[in-house]
Short mmCIF file of all heavy atoms in Angstrom, two decimals:
data_model
loop_
_atom_site.label_atom_id
_atom_site.label_comp_id
_atom_site.label_asym_id
_atom_site.label_seq_id
_atom_site.Cartn_x
_atom_site.Cartn_y
_atom_site.Cartn_z
N MET A 1 6.14 74.52 67.71
CA MET A 1 6.32 74.44 66.27
C MET A 1 6.31 75.83 65.64
O MET A 1 7.04 76.08 64.72
CB MET A 1 5.25 73.54 65.67
CG MET A 1 5.38 73.38 64.20
SD MET A 1 4.28 72.11 63.63
CE MET A 1 4.77 72.02 61.97
N THR A 2 5.49 76.72 66.11
CA THR A 2 5.43 78.03 65.48
C THR A 2 6.46 79.00 66.05
O THR A 2 6.88 79.91 65.36
CB THR A 2 4.04 78.66 65.64
OG1 THR A 2 3.73 78.77 67.02
CG2 THR A 2 2.99 77.84 64.94
N LYS A 3 6.90 78.80 67.28
CA LYS A 3 7.84 79.73 67.89
C LYS A 3 9.25 79.57 67.38
O LYS A 3 10.03 80.52 67.38
CB LYS A 3 7.82 79.58 69.41
CG LYS A 3 6.53 80.06 70.03
CD LYS A 3 6.58 79.98 71.53
CE LYS A 3 5.29 80.46 72.11
NZ LYS A 3 5.31 80.45 73.57
N ASP A 4 9.60 78.36 66.93
CA ASP A 4 10.97 78.15 66.46
C ASP A 4 11.09 78.20 64.94
O ASP A 4 12.18 78.09 64.41
CB ASP A 4 11.53 76.84 67.00
CG ASP A 4 10.78 75.62 66.50
OD1 ASP A 4 9.83 75.76 65.72
OD2 ASP A 4 11.14 74.51 66.93
N GLY A 5 9.99 78.37 64.23
CA GLY A 5 10.04 78.51 62.78
C GLY A 5 10.07 77.22 62.00
O GLY A 5 10.25 77.24 60.78
N THR A 6 9.90 76.09 62.67
CA THR A 6 9.94 74.82 61.93
C THR A 6 8.80 74.71 60.90
O THR A 6 8.93 73.99 59.93
CB THR A 6 9.90 73.61 62.86
OG1 THR A 6 8.76 73.72 63.72
CG2 THR A 6 11.15 73.50 63.70
N PHE A 7 7.72 75.46 61.12
CA PHE A 7 6.63 75.42 60.13
C PHE A 7 7.11 75.97 58.79
O PHE A 7 6.67 75.51 57.74
CB PHE A 7 5.41 76.19 60.64
CG PHE A 7 5.59 77.68 60.70
CD1 PHE A 7 5.16 78.48 59.67
CD2 PHE A 7 6.17 78.27 61.81
CE1 PHE A 7 5.32 79.86 59.72
CE2 PHE A 7 6.32 79.64 61.88
CZ PHE A 7 5.90 80.44 60.82
N LEU A 8 8.01 76.93 58.81
CA LEU A 8 8.54 77.46 57.55
C LEU A 8 9.39 76.41 56.82
O LEU A 8 9.28 76.25 55.61
CB LEU A 8 9.37 78.72 57.81
CG LEU A 8 8.56 79.93 58.29
CD1 LEU A 8 9.47 81.01 58.85
CD2 LEU A 8 7.69 80.46 57.17
N THR A 9 10.19 75.69 57.58
CA THR A 9 10.99 74.61 57.00
C THR A 9 10.09 73.53 56.43
O THR A 9 10.35 72.99 55.36
CB THR A 9 11.95 74.03 58.05
OG1 THR A 9 12.78 75.09 58.54
CG2 THR A 9 12.82 72.93 57.47
N THR A 10 8.99 73.23 57.13
CA THR A 10 8.04 72.23 56.64
C THR A 10 7.41 72.70 55.32
O THR A 10 7.25 71.90 54.40
CB THR A 10 6.94 71.98 57.69
OG1 THR A 10 7.56 71.52 58.89
CG2 THR A 10 5.93 70.96 57.21
N LEU A 11 7.06 73.97 55.22
CA LEU A 11 6.48 74.49 53.97
C LEU A 11 7.48 74.40 52.82
O LEU A 11 7.10 74.12 51.69
CB LEU A 11 6.00 75.93 54.16
CG LEU A 11 4.79 76.10 55.09
CD1 LEU A 11 4.53 77.59 55.36
CD2 LEU A 11 3.56 75.44 54.51
N VAL A 12 8.76 74.63 53.11
CA VAL A 12 9.80 74.48 52.08
C VAL A 12 9.93 73.01 51.71
O VAL A 12 9.97 72.66 50.52
CB VAL A 12 11.15 75.05 52.58
CG1 VAL A 12 12.28 74.69 51.62
CG2 VAL A 12 11.06 76.56 52.75
N ASP A 13 9.95 72.12 52.71
CA ASP A 13 10.07 70.69 52.45
C ASP A 13 8.89 70.15 51.65
O ASP A 13 9.05 69.23 50.84
CB ASP A 13 10.19 69.90 53.76
CG ASP A 13 11.49 70.17 54.50
OD1 ASP A 13 12.44 70.70 53.87
OD2 ASP A 13 11.55 69.86 55.70
N GLU A 14 7.71 70.71 51.86
CA GLU A 14 6.51 70.28 51.12
C GLU A 14 6.45 70.87 49.72
O GLU A 14 5.59 70.51 48.93
CB GLU A 14 5.24 70.68 51.89
CG GLU A 14 5.01 69.88 53.15
CD GLU A 14 4.67 68.43 52.88
OE1 GLU A 14 4.02 68.13 51.85
OE2 GLU A 14 5.08 67.58 53.68
N GLY A 15 7.36 71.81 49.41
CA GLY A 15 7.39 72.39 48.07
C GLY A 15 6.43 73.54 47.89
O GLY A 15 6.17 73.96 46.76
N LEU A 16 5.89 74.09 48.98
CA LEU A 16 4.97 75.21 48.87
C LEU A 16 5.70 76.54 48.83
O LEU A 16 5.21 77.51 48.25
CB LEU A 16 3.98 75.20 50.04
CG LEU A 16 3.12 73.94 50.13
CD1 LEU A 16 2.32 73.91 51.42
CD2 LEU A 16 2.20 73.83 48.94
N LEU A 17 6.86 76.59 49.47
CA LEU A 17 7.70 77.78 49.48
C LEU A 17 9.10 77.39 49.02
O LEU A 17 9.51 76.23 49.14
CB LEU A 17 7.82 78.38 50.88
CG LEU A 17 6.60 78.98 51.54
CD1 LEU A 17 6.94 79.45 52.95
CD2 LEU A 17 6.05 80.13 50.73
N THR A 18 9.83 78.37 48.54
CA THR A 18 11.24 78.19 48.28
C THR A 18 11.98 79.28 49.05
O THR A 18 11.50 80.41 49.17
CB THR A 18 11.56 78.25 46.77
OG1 THR A 18 12.93 77.96 46.56
CG2 THR A 18 11.23 79.57 46.16
N ARG A 19 13.10 78.92 49.61
CA ARG A 19 13.89 79.88 50.39
C ARG A 19 14.73 80.69 49.43
O ARG A 19 15.61 80.17 48.76
CB ARG A 19 14.76 79.13 51.39
CG ARG A 19 15.29 79.97 52.51
CD ARG A 19 16.03 79.16 53.56
NE ARG A 19 15.12 78.30 54.32
CZ ARG A 19 15.05 76.97 54.22
NH1 ARG A 19 15.83 76.34 53.39
NH2 ARG A 19 14.20 76.27 54.93
N ALA A 20 14.47 82.01 49.35
CA ALA A 20 15.22 82.89 48.45
C ALA A 20 16.54 83.30 49.07
O ALA A 20 17.56 83.39 48.38
CB ALA A 20 14.38 84.12 48.11
N THR A 21 16.53 83.58 50.37
CA THR A 21 17.76 83.92 51.09
C THR A 21 17.70 83.25 52.44
O THR A 21 16.63 82.89 52.93
CB THR A 21 17.91 85.44 51.31
OG1 THR A 21 16.86 85.90 52.17
CG2 THR A 21 17.90 86.20 50.01
N GLY A 22 18.84 83.10 53.07
CA GLY A 22 18.89 82.55 54.41
C GLY A 22 18.95 81.04 54.42
O GLY A 22 19.08 80.38 53.39
N THR A 23 18.86 80.50 55.64
CA THR A 23 18.96 79.06 55.82
C THR A 23 17.87 78.58 56.77
O THR A 23 17.20 79.37 57.42
CB THR A 23 20.33 78.68 56.44
OG1 THR A 23 20.38 79.23 57.77
CG2 THR A 23 21.48 79.20 55.63
N ALA A 24 17.76 77.27 56.88
CA ALA A 24 16.79 76.67 57.79
C ALA A 24 17.21 76.87 59.24
O ALA A 24 16.39 76.77 60.14
CB ALA A 24 16.65 75.18 57.50
N ASP A 25 18.48 77.17 59.47
CA ASP A 25 18.96 77.40 60.84
C ASP A 25 18.38 78.68 61.45
O ASP A 25 18.28 78.78 62.66
CB ASP A 25 20.48 77.46 60.87
CG ASP A 25 21.12 76.14 60.49
OD1 ASP A 25 20.49 75.08 60.74
OD2 ASP A 25 22.23 76.16 59.93
N ALA A 26 18.05 79.65 60.60
CA ALA A 26 17.46 80.91 61.06
C ALA A 26 16.24 81.22 60.18
O ALA A 26 16.28 82.13 59.35
CB ALA A 26 18.48 82.03 61.00
N PRO A 27 15.15 80.46 60.35
CA PRO A 27 14.02 80.58 59.43
C PRO A 27 13.35 81.95 59.41
O PRO A 27 12.83 82.37 58.39
CB PRO A 27 13.05 79.49 59.89
CG PRO A 27 13.46 79.17 61.27
CD PRO A 27 14.92 79.47 61.38
N PHE A 28 13.37 82.67 60.53
CA PHE A 28 12.72 83.98 60.54
C PHE A 28 13.58 85.06 59.90
O PHE A 28 13.08 86.13 59.59
CB PHE A 28 12.34 84.37 61.97
CG PHE A 28 11.23 83.53 62.54
CD1 PHE A 28 11.43 82.79 63.69
CD2 PHE A 28 10.00 83.46 61.92
CE1 PHE A 28 10.41 82.01 64.22
CE2 PHE A 28 8.97 82.68 62.44
CZ PHE A 28 9.18 81.95 63.59
N ASP A 29 14.85 84.79 59.70
CA ASP A 29 15.73 85.75 59.03
C ASP A 29 15.75 85.53 57.52
O ASP A 29 16.25 86.38 56.79
CB ASP A 29 17.15 85.64 59.58
CG ASP A 29 17.24 86.08 61.03
OD1 ASP A 29 16.42 86.91 61.45
OD2 ASP A 29 18.13 85.57 61.74
N ALA A 30 15.24 84.41 57.06
CA ALA A 30 15.23 84.08 55.63
C ALA A 30 14.06 84.77 54.94
O ALA A 30 13.12 85.22 55.58
CB ALA A 30 15.13 82.56 55.45
N THR A 31 14.15 84.86 53.62
CA THR A 31 13.01 85.33 52.82
C THR A 31 12.56 84.18 51.94
O THR A 31 13.36 83.32 51.54
CB THR A 31 13.39 86.55 51.95
OG1 THR A 31 14.51 86.22 51.12
CG2 THR A 31 13.72 87.75 52.80
N TYR A 32 11.27 84.16 51.63
CA TYR A 32 10.66 83.05 50.92
C TYR A 32 9.85 83.56 49.75
O TYR A 32 9.40 84.71 49.73
CB TYR A 32 9.74 82.26 51.86
CG TYR A 32 10.45 81.74 53.07
CD1 TYR A 32 10.58 82.50 54.23
CD2 TYR A 32 11.02 80.47 53.06
CE1 TYR A 32 11.24 82.02 55.33
CE2 TYR A 32 11.69 79.98 54.17
CZ TYR A 32 11.79 80.76 55.30
OH TYR A 32 12.46 80.29 56.39
N SER A 33 9.63 82.69 48.78
CA SER A 33 8.70 82.99 47.70
C SER A 33 7.85 81.75 47.46
O SER A 33 8.26 80.63 47.72
CB SER A 33 9.45 83.41 46.42
OG SER A 33 10.29 82.38 45.99
N LEU A 34 6.64 81.99 46.95
CA LEU A 34 5.73 80.89 46.67
C LEU A 34 6.18 80.12 45.44
O LEU A 34 6.62 80.71 44.46
CB LEU A 34 4.32 81.42 46.41
CG LEU A 34 3.44 81.74 47.59
CD1 LEU A 34 2.15 82.40 47.12
CD2 LEU A 34 3.14 80.50 48.39
N THR A 35 6.02 78.84 45.48
CA THR A 35 6.23 78.01 44.29
C THR A 35 4.90 77.93 43.55
O THR A 35 3.86 78.39 44.04
CB THR A 35 6.68 76.60 44.69
OG1 THR A 35 5.65 76.00 45.46
CG2 THR A 35 7.98 76.63 45.47
N GLU A 36 4.90 77.30 42.40
CA GLU A 36 3.65 77.10 41.67
C GLU A 36 2.68 76.27 42.50
O GLU A 36 1.48 76.56 42.56
CB GLU A 36 3.94 76.40 40.33
CG GLU A 36 2.72 76.26 39.44
CD GLU A 36 3.07 75.67 38.09
OE1 GLU A 36 4.16 75.94 37.57
OE2 GLU A 36 2.23 74.93 37.56
N LYS A 37 3.21 75.25 43.16
CA LYS A 37 2.39 74.41 44.05
C LYS A 37 1.85 75.25 45.20
O LYS A 37 0.69 75.10 45.60
CB LYS A 37 3.25 73.26 44.57
CG LYS A 37 2.55 72.27 45.44
CD LYS A 37 3.54 71.16 45.84
CE LYS A 37 2.90 70.11 46.70
NZ LYS A 37 3.86 69.06 47.07
N GLY A 38 2.66 76.15 45.75
CA GLY A 38 2.22 77.02 46.83
C GLY A 38 1.16 78.01 46.39
O GLY A 38 0.22 78.31 47.14
N GLU A 39 1.27 78.52 45.18
CA GLU A 39 0.25 79.43 44.66
C GLU A 39 -1.08 78.71 44.50
O GLU A 39 -2.14 79.24 44.84
CB GLU A 39 0.69 80.01 43.31
CG GLU A 39 1.80 81.03 43.44
CD GLU A 39 2.24 81.59 42.09
OE1 GLU A 39 1.52 81.38 41.08
OE2 GLU A 39 3.30 82.22 42.06
N HIS A 40 -1.04 77.48 44.01
CA HIS A 40 -2.26 76.67 43.86
C HIS A 40 -2.89 76.43 45.24
O HIS A 40 -4.10 76.58 45.41
CB HIS A 40 -1.94 75.34 43.18
CG HIS A 40 -3.13 74.44 43.05
ND1 HIS A 40 -4.00 74.53 41.98
CD2 HIS A 40 -3.61 73.47 43.85
CE1 HIS A 40 -4.97 73.64 42.15
NE2 HIS A 40 -4.75 72.98 43.27
N ALA A 41 -2.05 76.06 46.21
CA ALA A 41 -2.56 75.81 47.56
C ALA A 41 -3.16 77.06 48.17
O ALA A 41 -4.19 77.00 48.83
CB ALA A 41 -1.44 75.28 48.45
N ALA A 42 -2.54 78.21 47.94
CA ALA A 42 -3.05 79.47 48.48
C ALA A 42 -4.38 79.84 47.85
O ALA A 42 -5.29 80.33 48.53
CB ALA A 42 -2.04 80.59 48.26
N GLU A 43 -4.52 79.60 46.56
CA GLU A 43 -5.75 79.97 45.87
C GLU A 43 -6.90 79.00 46.15
O GLU A 43 -8.02 79.42 46.37
CB GLU A 43 -5.51 80.05 44.36
CG GLU A 43 -6.74 80.53 43.62
CD GLU A 43 -6.46 80.99 42.21
OE1 GLU A 43 -5.28 81.23 41.88
OE2 GLU A 43 -7.42 81.12 41.44
N TYR A 44 -6.62 77.70 46.15
CA TYR A 44 -7.68 76.71 46.26
C TYR A 44 -7.78 76.04 47.64
O TYR A 44 -8.71 75.31 47.90
CB TYR A 44 -7.51 75.63 45.19
CG TYR A 44 -7.64 76.19 43.79
CD1 TYR A 44 -6.50 76.42 43.02
CD2 TYR A 44 -8.88 76.55 43.27
CE1 TYR A 44 -6.61 76.95 41.74
CE2 TYR A 44 -8.99 77.09 42.01
CZ TYR A 44 -7.86 77.29 41.25
OH TYR A 44 -7.98 77.82 39.99
N GLY A 45 -6.81 76.30 48.50
CA GLY A 45 -6.86 75.74 49.85
C GLY A 45 -6.57 74.26 49.93
O GLY A 45 -6.95 73.59 50.90
N GLU A 46 -5.88 73.72 48.92
CA GLU A 46 -5.53 72.30 48.94
C GLU A 46 -4.31 72.06 48.06
O GLU A 46 -3.98 72.88 47.19
CB GLU A 46 -6.68 71.44 48.44
CG GLU A 46 -7.07 71.72 46.99
CD GLU A 46 -8.28 70.94 46.53
OE1 GLU A 46 -9.06 70.50 47.38
OE2 GLU A 46 -8.43 70.78 45.32
N TYR A 47 -3.63 70.96 48.33
CA TYR A 47 -2.50 70.55 47.49
C TYR A 47 -2.29 69.06 47.66
O TYR A 47 -2.73 68.47 48.64
CB TYR A 47 -1.23 71.34 47.82
CG TYR A 47 -0.60 71.01 49.14
CD1 TYR A 47 0.47 70.13 49.23
CD2 TYR A 47 -1.07 71.57 50.33
CE1 TYR A 47 1.06 69.82 50.45
CE2 TYR A 47 -0.49 71.27 51.55
CZ TYR A 47 0.57 70.39 51.60
OH TYR A 47 1.14 70.08 52.80
N GLU A 48 -1.64 68.44 46.69
CA GLU A 48 -1.36 67.01 46.77
C GLU A 48 -0.04 66.79 47.48
O GLU A 48 0.91 67.55 47.31
CB GLU A 48 -1.29 66.42 45.37
CG GLU A 48 -2.64 66.38 44.68
CD GLU A 48 -2.61 65.61 43.38
OE1 GLU A 48 -1.72 64.75 43.20
OE2 GLU A 48 -3.49 65.86 42.56
N PHE A 49 0.00 65.75 48.30
CA PHE A 49 1.21 65.42 49.03
C PHE A 49 1.29 63.93 49.24
O PHE A 49 0.29 63.22 49.12
CB PHE A 49 1.27 66.16 50.38
CG PHE A 49 0.14 65.80 51.31
CD1 PHE A 49 0.31 64.81 52.26
CD2 PHE A 49 -1.08 66.45 51.24
CE1 PHE A 49 -0.72 64.48 53.12
CE2 PHE A 49 -2.12 66.13 52.09
CZ PHE A 49 -1.94 65.13 53.04
N GLN A 50 2.48 63.46 49.52
CA GLN A 50 2.70 62.06 49.81
C GLN A 50 2.57 61.85 51.31
O GLN A 50 3.13 62.61 52.09
CB GLN A 50 4.10 61.63 49.37
CG GLN A 50 4.31 61.69 47.87
CD GLN A 50 3.50 60.63 47.16
OE1 GLN A 50 3.34 59.52 47.64
NE2 GLN A 50 2.98 60.98 46.00
N ILE A 51 1.85 60.83 51.70
CA ILE A 51 1.74 60.51 53.12
C ILE A 51 3.03 59.81 53.55
O ILE A 51 3.46 58.85 52.92
CB ILE A 51 0.52 59.61 53.39
CG1 ILE A 51 -0.75 60.38 53.05
CG2 ILE A 51 0.50 59.15 54.84
CD1 ILE A 51 -2.01 59.58 53.19
N LYS A 52 3.62 60.36 54.60
CA LYS A 52 4.87 59.79 55.11
C LYS A 52 4.54 58.93 56.31
O LYS A 52 3.92 59.40 57.26
CB LYS A 52 5.81 60.92 55.50
CG LYS A 52 6.20 61.78 54.32
CD LYS A 52 6.96 63.01 54.75
CE LYS A 52 7.17 63.89 53.54
NZ LYS A 52 7.34 65.27 53.87
N PRO A 53 4.94 57.66 56.27
CA PRO A 53 4.64 56.79 57.41
C PRO A 53 5.35 57.26 58.67
O PRO A 53 6.49 57.71 58.62
CB PRO A 53 5.14 55.42 56.97
CG PRO A 53 6.09 55.69 55.87
CD PRO A 53 5.70 56.99 55.25
N ARG A 54 4.64 57.19 59.77
CA ARG A 54 5.21 57.54 61.06
C ARG A 54 5.69 56.28 61.76
O ARG A 54 5.07 55.22 61.65
CB ARG A 54 4.17 58.22 61.96
CG ARG A 54 3.73 59.55 61.49
CD ARG A 54 2.81 60.23 62.44
NE ARG A 54 2.06 59.32 63.31
CZ ARG A 54 1.29 59.70 64.28
NH1 ARG A 54 1.14 60.96 64.55
NH2 ARG A 54 0.63 58.83 65.02
N VAL A 55 6.76 56.40 62.48
CA VAL A 55 7.26 55.29 63.26
C VAL A 55 6.61 55.39 64.63
O VAL A 55 6.72 56.39 65.32
CB VAL A 55 8.79 55.35 63.40
CG1 VAL A 55 9.29 54.24 64.29
CG2 VAL A 55 9.42 55.29 62.02
N VAL A 56 5.88 54.35 64.98
CA VAL A 56 5.19 54.33 66.27
C VAL A 56 5.99 53.47 67.23
O VAL A 56 6.27 52.31 66.95
CB VAL A 56 3.75 53.78 66.11
CG1 VAL A 56 3.05 53.73 67.45
CG2 VAL A 56 2.98 54.59 65.10
N GLU A 57 6.36 54.07 68.33
CA GLU A 57 7.12 53.33 69.34
C GLU A 57 6.16 52.56 70.22
O GLU A 57 5.12 53.09 70.61
CB GLU A 57 7.96 54.29 70.18
CG GLU A 57 9.03 55.00 69.37
CD GLU A 57 9.89 55.89 70.24
OE1 GLU A 57 10.00 55.63 71.44
OE2 GLU A 57 10.44 56.84 69.69
N PRO A 58 6.49 51.30 70.53
CA PRO A 58 5.60 50.52 71.39
C PRO A 58 5.53 51.11 72.79
O PRO A 58 6.51 51.65 73.30
CB PRO A 58 6.23 49.13 71.41
CG PRO A 58 7.62 49.33 70.97
CD PRO A 58 7.65 50.56 70.12
N VAL A 59 4.37 51.01 73.38
CA VAL A 59 4.16 51.51 74.72
C VAL A 59 4.23 50.33 75.69
O VAL A 59 3.55 49.33 75.49
CB VAL A 59 2.78 52.21 74.84
CG1 VAL A 59 2.52 52.69 76.26
CG2 VAL A 59 2.69 53.35 73.84
N ALA A 60 5.05 50.46 76.70
CA ALA A 60 5.17 49.38 77.69
C ALA A 60 3.92 49.35 78.57
O ALA A 60 3.41 50.39 78.98
CB ALA A 60 6.42 49.61 78.53
N LYS A 61 3.44 48.14 78.82
CA LYS A 61 2.27 48.00 79.68
C LYS A 61 2.68 48.18 81.12
O LYS A 61 3.76 47.74 81.56
CB LYS A 61 1.63 46.62 79.51
CG LYS A 61 1.01 46.41 78.16
CD LYS A 61 0.36 45.05 78.11
CE LYS A 61 -0.30 44.84 76.77
NZ LYS A 61 -0.96 43.53 76.71
N LYS A 62 1.83 48.81 81.89
CA LYS A 62 2.09 48.99 83.31
C LYS A 62 1.72 47.70 84.03
O LYS A 62 0.70 47.08 83.75
CB LYS A 62 1.27 50.13 83.88
CG LYS A 62 1.69 51.49 83.38
CD LYS A 62 0.87 52.58 84.06
CE LYS A 62 1.30 53.93 83.58
NZ LYS A 62 0.53 55.00 84.21
N ARG A 63 2.57 47.31 84.92
CA ARG A 63 2.31 46.10 85.70
C ARG A 63 1.63 46.52 87.00
O ARG A 63 2.03 47.49 87.63
CB ARG A 63 3.60 45.37 85.99
CG ARG A 63 4.23 44.83 84.74
CD ARG A 63 5.42 44.02 85.08
NE ARG A 63 6.03 43.52 83.86
CZ ARG A 63 6.98 42.62 83.83
NH1 ARG A 63 7.45 42.12 84.96
NH2 ARG A 63 7.47 42.21 82.70
N THR A 64 0.67 45.76 87.36
CA THR A 64 -0.01 46.02 88.63
C THR A 64 0.42 44.99 89.65
O THR A 64 0.65 43.82 89.32
CB THR A 64 -1.55 45.98 88.46
OG1 THR A 64 -1.90 44.71 87.93
CG2 THR A 64 -2.02 47.08 87.52
N ALA A 65 0.55 45.42 90.86
CA ALA A 65 0.98 44.52 91.92
C ALA A 65 -0.16 43.56 92.29
O ALA A 65 -1.31 43.98 92.38
CB ALA A 65 1.42 45.31 93.15
N LYS A 66 0.16 42.30 92.47
CA LYS A 66 -0.85 41.33 92.87
C LYS A 66 -1.01 41.37 94.37
O LYS A 66 -0.04 41.53 95.12
CB LYS A 66 -0.44 39.92 92.44
CG LYS A 66 -0.44 39.75 90.96
CD LYS A 66 -0.14 38.32 90.58
CE LYS A 66 -0.14 38.16 89.07
NZ LYS A 66 0.12 36.79 88.69
N LYS A 67 -2.22 41.25 94.82
CA LYS A 67 -2.50 41.28 96.27
C LYS A 67 -2.58 39.90 96.83
O LYS A 67 -2.91 38.95 96.33
CB LYS A 67 -3.78 42.03 96.55
CG LYS A 67 -3.64 43.49 96.19
CD LYS A 67 -4.92 44.19 96.55
CE LYS A 67 -4.80 45.66 96.16
NZ LYS A 67 -5.95 46.41 96.54
#
């Protein structure tokens, strides 16, 4: 997550940063600035966000051989 720069895209998606130049395709080449929400989060260490439901894939049970 940190080596490919997706954390920067996540911060933009969460509204904490805005991309001033560049694109999400090359996150380390882009420049960013803090949003008002990002400034609040930086100062107070918290911010409000919407919980996004995760899709959980069912896990197949392993069958054991009968003796």
Side-chain angles (χ1 to χ4, degrees):
M1 181 170 186
T2 59
K3 291 184 180 182
D4 63 1
T6 54
F7 70 96
L8 292 166
T9 302
T10 301
L11 292 172
V12 171
D13 293 343
E14 289 292 327
L16 300 172
L17 294 177
T18 185
R19 198 174 291 108
T21 65
T23 65
D25 295 330
F28 291 121
D29 294 332
T31 55
Y32 302 88
S33 60
L34 278 174
T35 62
E36 185 176 326
K37 183 178 181 180
E39 288 179 13
H40 178 86
E43 184 164 344
Y44 297 103
E46 63 184 21
Y47 70 98
E48 290 188 23
F49 62 94
Q50 295 291 323
I51 296 176
K52 298 171 186 155
R54 293 185 334 174
V55 176
V56 179
E57 296 183 25
V59 178
K61 293 183 179 181
K62 291 184 179 179
R63 294 185 181 191
T64 57
K66 293 185 180 181
K67 294 183 181 183

